[in-house]
Amino acid sequence: MATLKDKTVFVCGNCGYDSPKWSGKCPSCGQWNTMKEQVIKAQPASAVQRQAASGTSMRTQTSLRLHEIETREEPRIDMRDNELNRVLGGGLVRGSLVLIGGEPGIGKSTLVLQTVMKLQNLKILYVSGEESASQIKLRAERLVDNASGVSDELKILCETSLETIYEQIKENRPELVVVDSIQTISTQYVDSSAGSITQVRECATSLLKFAKESGTAVLLIGHITKEGSIAGPKILEHIVDAVLQFEGDQHYLYRILRPIKNRFGSTAELGIYEMQQSGLRQVGNPSELLLSDSHQGMSGVAIAATIEGVRPFLIEVQALASSAVYGTPQRSAIGFDVRRMNMLLAVLEKRAGFKLGQRDVFLNIAGGIRVNDPAIDLAVITSVLSSSLDVAVDRTLCMAGEVGLSGEIRPVSRIEQRIAEAQKLGFERMILPRNNMHGLDGKKYSIELVPVQKVEDAFRAIFG
């Protein structure tokens, strides 16, 4: 009988491609210096592998025509969290593998723990490779006022060995397994440290097979790298059924749960939470929290009607334009792309005639939320001009519109949802692109709609 030998492979840290030889450039993704050496321990063939080698009977799948395939509604688990249910597409699908990623300390473990504690009559195994049982208990007591609301079916396991985790799963037979985090789990069949490319890939693949064969939902928590991507090989995001990104600034209260991939729902949804001492609170109406009355009569503030995912809400765009003290003007933006801000400042100077070359410009999206909707362009240049002229924008006015390089106000998507949200919050006037008025019945809204076509038209309607 031949002696089994360990195998050495070189794995790309970016895409997960493996090769028996090292190369400076990955043949798959083309990245340089990403091939890392990994040692895979030799292991005897399993019973299934021996059956495959000997040609004995195994379960096979038969090809079917498309109309012969029967479809059924995927059974889902109600997470008792409206924001999380919305992002997942109606709940957690049984037998699915979901990955929640985010920066350290952003609140991933807090979100998952406070959610699973509310799931009554559901057997849950919470596996922690980062914290001790006492640390989890202290966090749970901080999140819940009394122990009566905590599920009796929730069990905590502090373990990093995948084989030991499977033993506990076999003993407890849970309906939901939480792994915090996937980078701390390792299997004995891979001779490398936990968190390495090979360990993360092998453990995730094994958990996926377990989830599909047993029908048990598995929720993974993962870290992200300095570049903002999920730590580990890129193949990890291809393995799982859904990838949810938990975003936010640790210095602000608000957190956003954004789906990057979802096989059982839409990736256009969005969940918003507010970080409090007692945990994360769901934000059902973000507009009321992101708007404040403290800026009444102050310049440099404009209200934009934006859409993140499929949810419309109104946000404050704050700007400060002042004389450049150090000679070279400074440009800074929080929650908005600074390159796009520079483009809008160039449009403001070239098309509207306002000289900002010798002025510092600072921009901030209130609440610490990052917005990528181009419809807030009009609010950005309005807030900058308001601060430069030191003239306040009417508090009952909001706006939506994308600004083009020639100074035109381009139409935006889902204008009816934006108008309805502004009307619900009591705004009296709304500036919007003229092209969005085609096919729009303005009579059914109580808010006054002011269509504009150029930047100068918008400024004339706002400042008179």
Side-chain angles (χ1 to χ4, degrees):
M1 181 176 178
T3 304
L4 297 174
K5 296 182 179 180
D6 296 346
K7 184 172 69 171
T8 300
V9 296
F10 295 89
V11 184
C12 175
N14 182 58
C15 66
Y17 174 85
D18 58 75
S19 170
K21 295 183 179 181
W22 181 87
S23 60
K25 183 179 180 181
C26 175
S28 177
C29 65
Q31 295 293 319
W32 288 91
N33 298 324
T34 58
M35 304 295 288
K36 305 296 181 182
E37 181 180 1
Q38 300 288 341
V39 178
I40 301 177
K41 292 181 65 176
Q43 53 179 311
S46 64
V48 176
Q49 291 171 326
R50 289 196 298 268
Q51 283 183 352
S54 61
T56 56
S57 61
M58 294 180 65
R59 188 180 64 176
T60 58
Q61 295 288 345
T62 305
S63 59
L64 298 173
R65 294 183 177 87
L66 187 61
H67 68 271
E68 295 176 343
I69 301 174
E70 296 182 0
T71 59
R72 57 184 176 85
E73 188 68 24
E74 295 287 349
R76 295 179 182 264
I77 300 172
D78 183 6
M79 303 302 289
R80 306 288 295 277
D81 185 322
N82 294 333
E83 299 296 306
L84 185 55
N85 281 338
R86 178 189 293 112
V87 172
L88 289 171
L92 184 62
V93 176
R94 295 182 183 273
S96 64
L97 185 64
V98 177
L99 174 64
I100 298 180
E103 296 179 356
I106 203 68
K108 306 181 297 296
S109 301
T110 300
L111 172 65
V112 174
L113 183 58
Q114 75 174 26
T115 301
V116 298
M117 285 194 301
K118 296 183 293 186
L119 300 179
Q120 303 288 345
N121 302 322
L122 189 72
K123 291 184 178 181
I124 304 168
L125 180 63
Y126 188 100
V127 181
S128 177
E130 299 180 344
E131 296 177 297
S132 65
S134 59
Q135 288 176 312
I136 298 174
K137 178 65 179 299
L138 290 173
R139 175 179 293 182
E141 290 176 345
R142 177 172 57 87
L143 297 177
V144 181
D145 294 333
N146 52 9
S148 60
V150 180
S151 172
D152 294 331
E153 301 292 340
L154 173 62
K155 292 188 177 182
I156 307 297
L157 173 64
C158 298
E159 183 58 60
T160 59
S161 171
L162 185 63
E163 287 72 28
T164 306
I165 293 172
Y166 280 140
E167 291 176 4
Q168 290 294 314
I169 289 175
K170 184 177 180 181
E171 179 181 337
N172 294 282
R173 298 189 179 277
E175 299 171 77
L176 171 62
V177 176
V178 178
V179 179
D180 183 12
S181 65
I182 184 61
Q183 281 83 14
T184 63
I185 306 303
S186 61
T187 174
Q188 63 183 4
Y189 297 115
V190 177
D191 189 16
S192 61
S193 60
S196 64
I197 297 170
T198 309
Q199 285 284 9
V200 172
R201 180 178 60 184
E202 293 300 322
C203 292
T205 304
S206 178
L207 288 170
L208 175 68
K209 182 179 179 182
F210 158 73
K212 299 303 179 185
E213 291 181 351
S214 65
T216 304
V218 180
L219 198 58
L220 305 180
I221 297 177
H223 302 304
I224 64 173
T225 62
K226 292 184 294 184
E227 291 77 19
S229 59
I230 302 293
K234 196 68 177 176
I235 195 173
L236 176 61
E237 298 181 40
H238 298 298
I239 291 173
V240 299
D241 295 309
V243 180
L244 310 181
Q245 189 86 1
F246 204 41
E247 306 171 352
D249 193 322
Q250 296 184 17
H251 303 290
Y252 289 89
L253 297 176
Y254 302 107
R255 305 286 188 269
I256 294 179
L257 187 63
R258 192 190 307 271
I260 307 300
K261 167 190 175 182
N262 193 355
R263 288 175 178 159
F264 304 107
S266 171
T267 56
E269 296 289 353
L270 195 74
I272 301 180
Y273 295 87
E274 181 184 9
M275 178 63 79
Q276 296 181 339
Q277 184 65 26
S278 58
L280 291 161
R281 186 183 72 85
Q282 304 174 46
V283 178
N285 188 357
S287 299
E288 294 181 354
L289 290 176
L290 297 175
L291 298 178
S292 65
D293 297 325
S294 59
H295 68 269
Q296 185 70 31
M298 298 178 62
S299 62
V301 179
I303 309 299
T306 183
I307 287 184
E308 279 292 311
V310 296
R311 301 180 65 181
F313 57 89
L314 275 70
I315 58 171
E316 287 183 12
V317 180
Q318 303 171 349
L320 177 63
S322 60
S323 299
V325 179
Y326 302 106
T328 303
Q330 300 183 61
R331 301 285 189 264
S332 177
I334 299 176
F336 190 74
D337 188 359
V338 68
R339 293 172 298 180
R340 188 168 185 85
M341 184 189 73
N342 289 330
M343 183 199 74
L344 294 175
L345 295 179
V347 172
L348 193 60
E349 183 168 339
K350 180 71 174 180
R351 303 300 178 186
F354 293 97
K355 303 300 181 182
L356 298 170
Q358 297 301 318
R359 298 180 72 83
D360 295 334
V361 178
F362 306 96
L363 189 72
N364 177 47
I365 306 297
I369 292 180
R370 182 167 187 83
V371 180
N372 298 316
D373 187 3
I376 72 169
D377 287 353
L378 184 56
V380 169
I381 62 173
T382 299
S383 63
V384 171
L385 186 59
S386 170
S387 177
S388 181
L389 300 176
D390 200 18
V391 177
V393 179
D394 185 6
R395 179 65 181 83
T396 62
L397 173 71
C398 67
M399 60 200 73
E402 179 184 355
V403 178
L405 291 179
S406 61
E408 80 277 14
I409 307 298
R410 299 176 59 83
V412 297
S413 62
R414 303 176 192 165
I415 189 64
E416 294 188 0
Q417 291 179 262
R418 303 175 195 263
I419 297 173
E421 183 71 12
Q423 178 178 293
K424 183 177 70 174
L425 294 175
F427 285 84
E428 298 175 4
R429 284 199 305 156
M430 182 173 180
I431 309 293
L432 74 165
R434 185 181 300 276
N435 289 339
N436 274 125
M437 295 298 293
H438 298 317
L440 184 66
D441 184 11
K443 296 181 179 179
K444 67 178 182 179
Y445 301 106
S446 60
I447 186 174
E448 179 187 354
L449 303 180
V450 183
V452 293
Q453 192 167 4
K454 292 284 187 179
V455 170
E456 50 267 29
D457 299 336
F459 291 157
R460 197 175 297 112
I462 295 170
F463 299 106

